[in-house]
């Protein structure tokens, strides 16, 4: 069987924008592996692994886990033979992660296809996170931590918008509206 072509999508956007849900659907529709670093880390916490114990408090406080830990998780996930078909959700989150990901993708011969940016006003983001917190069981889905996560996003992750925009890879997507409507915009932007 011929190899399916490589496809790499990086899903950017602030916490609470709905990246996880939309990435899930895009992954299913396009046969991509969804790599959600938040989910991977939360799974470690649930299982009580040494890594989980190490990152638990950082995540509860809304801070970022170290670039070293993240890169090692990503290397593990991408250590596949065959084609690279992935959508990253919640990664990269710092300039260092973005640069290291570039190197890794270059080694794999899998260039980035598109970087959709899901845009939602900050007031709405915090409200969405607090609402999600009623059922998610996530210790970081409280109002105080939600504000901290937005601050960290602005400081550490927002610079990546320029990084990908300068290379013509960024696709701005309006993240306000019905789930299906937003999904159609994302699918059109990614191609
Ligand atoms: P998320 O589910 O993407 O909102 O991530 C939840 C938390 O996991 C974040 O607030 C960080 O503490 C941690 N985390 C997830 N992805 C990363 C990343 N790429 N770099 C650093 N920390 C991360």
């Amino acid at each position: 069987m011929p190899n399916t072509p490589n496809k790499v999508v990086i899903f950017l956007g602030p916490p609470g924008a709905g990246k996880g849900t939309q990435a899930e659907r895009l992954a299913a529709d396009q046969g991509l592996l969804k790599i959600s670093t938040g989910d991977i880390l939360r799974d470690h916490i649930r299982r009580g692994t040494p890594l989980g114990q190490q990152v638990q408090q950082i995540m509860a406080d809304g801070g970022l886990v170290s670039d070293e830990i993240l890169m090692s998780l990503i290397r593990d996930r991408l250590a596949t033979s065959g084609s690279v078909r992935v959508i990253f959700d919640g990664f990269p989150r710092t300039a260092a992660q973005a640069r290291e990901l570039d190197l890794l993708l270059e080694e794999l011969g899998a260039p980035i296809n598109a970087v959709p940016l899901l845009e939602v006003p900050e007031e709405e983001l915090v409200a969405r996170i607090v609402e999600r917190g009623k059922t998610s069981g996530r210790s970081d889905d409280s109002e105080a931590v939600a504000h901290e996560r937005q601050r960290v996003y602005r400081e550490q992750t927002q610079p990546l918008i320029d990084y990908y925009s300068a290379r013509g890879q960024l696709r701005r997507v309006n993240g306000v509206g019905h789930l299906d409507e937003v999904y159609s915009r994302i699918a059109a932007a990614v191609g």
Side-chain angles (χ1 to χ4, degrees):
M1 205 173 75
N3 257 358
T4 24
N6 289 340
K7 184 155 190 174
V8 177
V9 176
I10 295 175
F11 213 171
L12 272 190
K19 297 188 299 298
T21 312
Q22 301 287 3
E24 186 96 46
R25 187 160 163 190
L26 196 71
D29 282 357
Q30 301 205 358
L32 306 173
L33 170 69
K34 180 178 90 129
I35 300 184
S36 163
T37 46
D39 285 351
I40 296 170
L41 292 166
R42 277 186 291 276
D43 186 54
H44 275 275
I45 294 176
R46 240 186 328 266
R47 290 186 285 122
T49 68
L51 175 61
Q53 291 170 25
Q54 196 182 337
V55 303
Q56 187 160 25
Q57 195 58 50
I58 299 169
M59 288 176 68
D61 292 342
L64 291 187
V65 173
S66 77
D67 293 332
E68 290 69 25
I69 290 178
L70 264 296
M71 289 319 300
S72 132
L73 289 177
I74 295 295
R75 280 180 189 280
D76 284 353
R77 296 282 151 152
L78 289 183
T80 63
S81 53
S83 49
V84 179
R85 294 184 60 80
V86 290
I87 175 163
F88 292 104
D89 159 30
F91 174 89
R93 257 178 159 98
T94 65
Q97 291 176 16
R99 284 192 300 267
E100 292 211 37
L101 177 62
D102 280 342
L103 295 176
L104 186 55
L105 291 174
E106 201 177 301
E107 275 170 37
L108 296 169
I112 295 167
N113 290 81
V115 183
L117 166 67
L118 204 50
E119 297 186 296
V120 175
E122 186 163 332
E123 317 81 74
E124 188 166 331
L125 291 168
V126 173
R128 284 189 193 185
I129 289 177
V130 170
E131 187 57 34
R132 180 173 73 187
K134 294 177 183 166
T135 52
S136 72
R138 282 177 58 169
S139 60
D140 59 349
D141 278 350
S142 68
E143 184 165 353
V145 180
H147 281 292
E148 172 61 8
R149 288 162 67 201
Q150 301 304 326
R151 193 191 65 74
V152 170
Y153 173 79
R154 279 196 305 271
E155 212 173 275
Q156 304 283 326
T157 310
Q158 235 171 17
L160 301 189
I161 295 173
D162 288 341
Y163 182 82
Y164 292 114
S165 173
R167 302 198 310 204
Q169 293 166 324
L170 194 82
R171 310 275 183 273
R172 290 180 185 272
V173 175
N174 176 4
V176 179
H178 191 275
L179 266 181
D180 291 340
E181 200 173 64
V182 175
Y183 180 73
S184 306
R185 295 178 198 140
I186 295 167
V190 168

